[in-house]
Amino acid sequence: MSSSVIFIIVFMIVIYGGIFYFMQLKKKKQKEMFQNTDFNAEMRNVLTYKNKFLNSELSFLPKQMEGKPIDAFNYANMNYSTKDSIKDGIKDSLKGMATLGTVRFHTVQTPKYFILSGADLHLLDTDTEGEISNHLVFDAARLRASSISEVPLEGVIKAFANQKGDDVKAYRISLATDGSPIELIMFSALLFTYANTNASAFSLNVQKNIEEIVIANDFLKKLGERYPNLKVSGLLN
């Protein structure tokens, strides 16, 4: 075995060993966070936490709402299963074959945002450039005809939920429309379910983690208070 091959093997072992150590350290810190944090007390700071996000990394949300109040917000994700991923992979491969391999296709999921404003629930979708591409509004009648259920933590959903802590839950919400309902996944923490938006997977910022959990649980709590059919069990209710 050549020295270059040995070097590559040792390098890979060091890299994967470092990642494993980091993830174990993060898991330990998250466990300590849940044990040492009084989330009901943290709710007194929810307005401060929300404004912090809305005035910085999510400053485009108030602009999109054009003066309408933002009572609560959360991230939303496509109800995207392993089966869907395989389908998209096959579809992308067929598109690539149609161009004789000169163009490679890759189906991309983009960030989505829930905003609770008065009696309405706003759903904002973005394009691959990060710009708002759709703004849907679900009124009281549609929300009373909608439903929500907790999703078992397994597979990919569990892996992403665990980024924010073992006690984070996942939910599937089905929003009524004139046609087929829109089904999306959300969590009891601000969380997207795809790697290109999840730099937080490698973050040890415990305070930000707490803020993201409080904001998402505030959304779930307020949504359930306004629409009992959309009430779920979370950290705060």
Side-chain angles (χ1 to χ4, degrees), residues 52-72:
K52 178 180 176 181
F53 277 78
L54 294 173
N55 290 328
S56 55
E57 58 195 271
L58 300 180
S59 60
F60 57 91
L61 295 184
K63 293 177 183 176
Q64 186 67 27
M65 293 298 288
E66 298 180 334
K68 296 184 183 70
I70 297 179
D71 300 326

Side-chain angles (χ1 to χ4, degrees), residues 155-205:
V156 175
I157 294 294
K158 180 178 180 180
F160 280 101
N162 285 349
Q163 289 182 16
K164 301 297 180 181
D166 292 339
D167 292 337
V168 170
K169 298 180 179 181
Y171 308 92
R172 178 182 292 107
I173 187 167
S174 180
L175 297 168
T177 70
D178 289 336
S180 300
I182 296 175
E183 291 195 345
L184 296 165
I185 299 292
M186 61 180 171
F187 295 83
S188 58
L190 299 183
L191 185 59
F192 290 123
T193 57
Y194 35 100
N196 62 337
T197 58
N198 273 285
S200 59
F202 297 99
S203 171
L204 287 175
N205 189 334

Side-chain angles (χ1 to χ4, degrees), residues 82-106:
T82 303
K83 185 177 179 182
D84 295 323
S85 179
I86 293 171
K87 281 183 180 178
D88 280 344
I90 294 172
K91 201 163 48 175
D92 294 339
S93 296
L94 291 174
K95 288 179 181 177
M97 289 170 63
T99 63
L100 301 179
T102 57
V103 179
R104 295 184 65 183
F105 292 87
H106 178 61

Side-chain angles (χ1 to χ4, degrees), residues 18-28 163 201-202:
I19 292 174
F20 177 78
Y21 172 78
F22 180 88
M23 297 310 290
Q24 289 299 111
L25 178 62
K26 179 176 180 179
K27 189 171 183 179
K28 179 183 177 183
Q163 289 182 16
F202 297 99

